[in-house]
Amino acid sequence: MKTRINGVEIAYADQGTGTPILFVHGYPLNKTMWDDQVKGLSPRFRVVTMDLRGHGESEAPLWFSTMEVFADDVCALLDHLKIGRTVLAGLSMGGYIALAFYRKYKNRVKGLVLADTRPQPDTPEGKQGRFTAAQTAHKNGAGAIADVMVPKLLSAQSVTGRPDLVQAVRQMITKTPVTGIAADLMAMAERTDSVALLPEITCPTLIIVGEQDKLTPPADAQLMAQKIPNAQLEIIPGAGHLSNIEQPEAFTAAVRKFLESLPE
Ligand code: MLT
């Protein structure tokens, strides 16, 4: 399904009934990364996935973006779907967006799932790397980004032993318009430091990380678990950064248990 939100056509899917959970994908992916979670959770809960602007089947305007712009899109989609409060789940850049959303719209958040993400901003070298990557995308296309990103997103075992998974992730990346990739990179480079926000998070929070996550390692998840009051931490063995894709059953089971623990 599609709807026009904040001037941009946004694609989304909305399945099931019960406690709502909205999943926000990472860079440079799209809502299909959540297919296993949709399948596993929608018989029991209302599961919403969306393609962020510049991704998947959503429009990709040539424009700057920020985590707050993405958060505004999430909020407008909730309004469109008449969902008052939701559990918000974000992986990686989706987690940066979830933190930005919490800062701006915390009354709309029933619970948070922060997966393979971190609260710290980019280092100066990290920012420089974003601009270099944007130039690479501009000059050589999304395929060049896939070459760099696939080994970072997946665990070493998946890269060598699971060609189907490598292919699926590659395809998601190569389908992403270059304007979307560049907008993500600029937005991530300029994102706000969310470390000081963590002790102020009062909703139930589940933190998930792949044991072999190289991009946002378990130390980042442990920092969030220490600073967010009463947060739960789940470390998933046999997974890298895309823990929900590499170990879908363990990831979905952790989210299911978390959703079941929330008051209706
Ligand atoms: C993501 O997976 O969303 C990104 O790799 C996160 C990042 O580069 O900071």
Side-chain angles (χ1 to χ4, degrees), residues 161-205:
R162 299 181 63 184
D164 52 325
L165 228 157
V166 168
Q167 191 50 25
V169 173
R170 248 202 102 77
Q171 247 176 31
M172 267 192 265
I173 300 176
T174 52
K175 264 198 192 158
T176 308
V178 166
T179 49
I181 290 176
D184 286 357
L185 288 162
M186 308 295 172
M188 288 194 286
E190 296 305 323
R191 74 183 188 280
T192 306
D193 186 342
S194 292
V195 175
L197 174 74
L198 302 179
E200 293 165 22
I201 296 180
T202 52
C203 66
T205 302

Side-chain angles (χ1 to χ4, degrees), residues 27 133-148 170 173-179 181:
Y27 158 85
Q135 297 305 324
T136 302
H138 178 58
K139 275 199 225 138
N140 303 324
I145 297 296
D147 293 343
V148 177
R170 248 202 102 77
I173 300 176
T174 52
K175 264 198 192 158
T176 308
V178 166
T179 49
I181 290 176

Side-chain angles (χ1 to χ4, degrees), residues 25-29 91-94 96 116 118 122 130 149 153 188 191 215-216 241-242:
H25 62 76
Y27 158 85
L29 307 168
L91 184 138
S92 199
M93 185 178 81
Y96 308 156
D116 300 278
R118 65 184 157 187
D122 278 2
R130 306 283 192 200
M149 287 306 292
L153 293 172
M188 288 194 286
R191 74 183 188 280
L215 282 175
T216 50
H241 189 60
L242 296 184

Side-chain angles (χ1 to χ4, degrees), residues 18-47:
T19 299
I21 179 162
L22 190 151
F23 284 99
V24 186
H25 62 76
Y27 158 85
L29 307 168
N30 61 55
K31 63 176 166 5
T32 64
M33 71 171 267
W34 300 113
D35 282 354
D36 286 314
Q37 283 68 47
V38 172
K39 218 198 267 153
L41 298 171
S42 61
R44 177 85 205 272
F45 303 101
R46 182 173 181 186
V47 183

Side-chain angles (χ1 to χ4, degrees), residues 4 14 17 35 62 68 77 87 102 140 158 160 180 182 249-250 261:
R4 186 155 281 278
D14 178 13
T17 55
D35 282 354
L62 179 57
E68 288 68 31
L77 180 62
V87 175
Y102 189 87
N140 303 324
S158 295
T160 50
E249 279 170 23
S261 74

